[in-house]
């Protein structure tokens, strides 16, 4: 027996060594939010759906979860968007990962509505040793956007850089 298991992560003495690049160090499960929030603003708004992780400086943080948004009212071609963010102010500062888009294209004014739950994901390498990731969302084209927080969740993983 060589005394090393898993590319040097554990020696025969039982001392934990350095993890190889790409190794998952920790997982922090998210919890679902509660209630709803509504906006007609076309600037990304901050929600209280968050998750926080404390990590070793320099490592990557992978985030994934679900955004559940509802678009309704307005005129032609209304919609809404959602995205992950590390910033707690309105706008795109700190936003990362894929943008969840939920639109309805129409040719005439009508009351069009729809609720859509979509996956959201991204990777960041934040400075420091702790980061809070949140969901931001916005309305598009004069419609109203509702964030169903009770159906939203963010899970976080620390991965060895």
């Amino acid at each position: 027996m060589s005394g090393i298991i898993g590319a040097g992560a554990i020696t025969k003495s039982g001392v934990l060594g350095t993890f190889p690049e790409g190794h998952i160090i920790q997982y922090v499960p998210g919890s679902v939010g509660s209630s709803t929030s509504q906006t007609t603003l076309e600037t990304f708004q901050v929600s209280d759906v968050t998750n926080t992780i404390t990590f070793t400086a320099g490592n990557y943080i992978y985030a994934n979860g679900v955004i559940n948004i509802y678009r309704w009212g307005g005129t032609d071609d209304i919609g809404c968007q959602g995205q992950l963010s590390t910033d707690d102010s309105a706008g795109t500062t700190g936003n990362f990962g894929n943008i969840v888009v939920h639109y309805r294209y129409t040719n005439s004014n009508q009351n069009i509505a729809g609720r859509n739950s979509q996956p959201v994901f991204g990777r960041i390498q934040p400075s420091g040793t702790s980061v809070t990731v949140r969901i931001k969302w916005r309305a598009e084209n004069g419609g109203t956007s509702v964030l169903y927080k009770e159906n939203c969740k963010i899970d976080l993983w620390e991965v060895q850089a």
Side-chain angles (χ1 to χ4, degrees):
M1 183 167 154
S2 69
I4 299 177
I5 301 170
I10 301 174
T11 66
K12 68 180 179 180
S13 67
V15 177
L16 191 60
T18 303
F19 290 107
E21 183 178 335
H23 184 87
I24 296 173
I25 305 297
Q26 66 170 313
Y27 166 67
V28 179
S31 58
V32 294
S34 61
S35 71
T36 61
S37 289
Q38 180 174 309
T39 188
T40 57
L41 297 175
E42 295 192 11
T43 301
F44 277 101
Q45 302 299 303
V46 178
S47 81
D48 59 0
V49 178
T50 65
N51 196 359
T52 301
I53 188 169
T54 301
F55 57 92
T56 300
N59 282 344
Y60 294 108
I61 303 302
Y62 285 79
N64 84 321
V66 175
I67 293 178
N68 194 307
I69 45 184
Y70 182 85
R71 48 114 181 96
W72 63 276
T75 59
D76 297 346
D77 304 334
I78 63 167
C80 48
Q81 296 183 354
Q83 194 170 24
L84 294 170
S85 183
T86 58
D87 188 71
D88 62 357
S89 62
T92 57
T93 304
N95 290 17
F96 70 98
N98 66 313
I99 297 177
V100 171
V101 179
H102 187 36
Y103 282 105
R104 172 70 182 259
Y105 297 100
T106 63
N107 295 319
S108 62
N109 293 349
Q110 55 184 295
N111 186 7
I112 52 179
R115 184 170 167 179
N116 196 345
S117 183
Q118 296 186 43
V120 64
F121 50 87
R123 181 187 88 163
I124 53 174
Q125 192 175 26
S127 60
T129 59
S130 179
V131 67
T132 297
V133 176
R134 63 188 20 88
I135 289 175
K136 288 185 181 178
W137 92 108
R138 69 182 182 181
E140 288 287 322
N141 297 328
T144 298
S145 176
V146 178
L147 179 71
Y148 282 84
K149 297 184 287 187
E150 68 270 13
N151 299 114
C152 295
K153 180 181 175 184
I154 305 167
D155 296 326
L156 301 175
W157 285 266
E158 176 186 2
V159 176
Q160 182 70 43

